Amino acid sequence: MAEFDYGEVVSALRGAGCVFAEEEAEILIESASSPAELTPLLERRIAGEPLEYIVGWVLFCGRRVTVEPGVFVPRRRTEFLVECAAALRPSVLLDLCCGSGAVGLSVGGVTELHAADIDDASVDCARRNLDAMGATVHRGDLFDALPPELHGRFDAVVVNAPYVPTSDIELMPREARDYEPHTALDGGADGAGIHRRVAAGAGQWLHSGGHLLIETSAALSDSTLDAVLEAGFTGQVRESEMFDAVVVIGSTGGS
Ligand SMILES: C[S@@+](CC[C@H](N)C(=O)[O-])C[C@H]1O[C@@H](n2cnc3c(N)ncnc32)[C@H](O)[C@@H]1O
């Protein structure tokens, strides 16, 4: 078996400013079959590339989800969106702005899953993650991606759309700013531009008694809630200290 110098890998990562150097060293070593194979992986990480792109997966809701360069890396906070959706027990679910498809993949008990994204790399990656569960991944701008026969069919629509105000993108950590596509981050001038479009369009895709769940931030939650209320939903804001996350839930009338 090849001999890896764990201590050397940890100090190289620590020297490059990696906060979780020990965990990252274990993951990188596990991904390489020899020290020679490890060297270029380590060099990419030291140069600042996100670990998830280098190894090709991220741990999300307890399972390894495939991610590829150019595709948004699912964040731990988004596990709260999954938790909120799972509590509503949807059978027919739409994961809108799906990226890798991690959210739809993780809501259990779904019998019919659709996912959609505007970005080609994300659609391809979501198909890799979701094909095995028989999901359909659509490509296009928000609800324009969907065929009309899906009108009124969804129990829930889950959305982690871009919600960083344009001027705040430059304040994000370098890994996000430099490596993730800005179409995955940029929520427009105030951050809630896509939330307004999603809320305005969601009603006709949900059946009576259905729910729209949008991940947002503490700073933006009032704007996201307003968008949901203006679109005719009843709305509530759910917050999780543990996940440092906020989700706005809009509900249609009926049961
Ligand atoms: C913040 S990422 C979230 C990805 C995924 N939901 C997750 O939580 O990992 C936002 C995603 O929205 C997609 N997106 C941005 N604008 C869109 C639009 N107009 N229509 C559909 N998808 C869009 C991006 O390509 C990106 O994959």
Side-chain angles (χ1 to χ4, degrees):
M1 205 175 113
E3 284 293 314
F4 293 95
D5 191 333
Y6 173 74
E8 210 172 274
V9 178
V10 171
S11 40
L13 290 168
R14 200 172 283 135
C18 297
V19 180
F20 303 106
E22 285 84 1
E23 289 92 325
E24 293 203 10
E26 279 168 27
I27 291 171
L28 284 171
I29 287 172
E30 186 211 291
S31 302
S33 57
S34 68
E37 208 177 293
L38 177 65
T39 303
L41 306 185
L42 189 56
E43 283 170 358
R44 285 168 65 188
R45 184 66 190 119
I46 287 168
E49 189 171 342
L51 179 71
E52 295 83 358
Y53 289 161
I54 298 168
V55 300
W57 56 268
V58 59
L59 200 62
F60 184 81
C61 288
R63 76 169 94 191
R64 288 186 181 190
V65 176
T66 297
V67 282
E68 289 151 9
V71 177
F72 183 84
V73 178
R75 307 297 203 262
R76 172 122 203 283
R77 79 162 58 84
T78 302
E79 294 185 5
F80 183 55
L81 178 64
V82 171
E83 193 177 291
C84 292
L88 297 168
R89 300 183 182 282
S91 292
V92 185
L93 177 69
L94 171 64
D95 178 359
L96 189 65
C97 298
C98 65
S100 64
V103 174
L105 182 69
S106 305
V107 178
V110 173
T111 55
E112 184 178 334
L113 174 63
H114 293 263
D117 201 284
I118 199 167
D119 170 65
D120 288 350
S122 300
V123 167
D124 291 347
C125 183
R127 287 191 175 133
R128 269 189 266 288
N129 283 312
L130 299 176
D131 272 359
M133 59 188 290
T136 309
V137 184
H138 309 265
R139 183 195 319 260
D141 182 15
L142 300 183
F143 296 102
D144 288 352
L146 304 178
E149 55 267 26
L150 291 175
H151 277 151
R153 292 240 16 250
F154 292 104
D155 298 313
V157 175
V158 279
V159 192
N160 180 20
Y163 59 83
V164 181
T166 308
S167 58
D168 286 358
I169 290 178
E170 65 181 66
L171 309 175
M172 293 185 79
R174 194 163 72 91
E175 284 182 20
R177 207 177 59 213
D178 290 354
Y179 286 91
E180 290 183 310
H182 286 198
T183 44
L185 307 173
D186 193 343
D190 74 344
I194 299 185
H195 292 174
R196 285 185 205 97
R197 291 182 57 214
V198 167
Q204 64 175 319
W205 301 93
L206 287 162
H207 65 62
S208 154
H211 305 278
L212 168 65
L213 300 97
I214 305 179
E215 177 177 311
T216 187
S217 63
L220 218 57
S221 61
D222 284 350
S223 303
T224 307
L225 181 63
D226 284 350
V228 161
L229 296 175
E230 271 165 32
F233 296 93
T234 57
Q236 55 170 306
V237 179
R238 298 273 321 274
E239 292 172 52
S240 165
E241 225 172 272
M242 184 174 101
F243 288 104
D244 185 25
V246 184
V247 171
V248 167
I249 305 180
S251 303
T252 66
S255 53

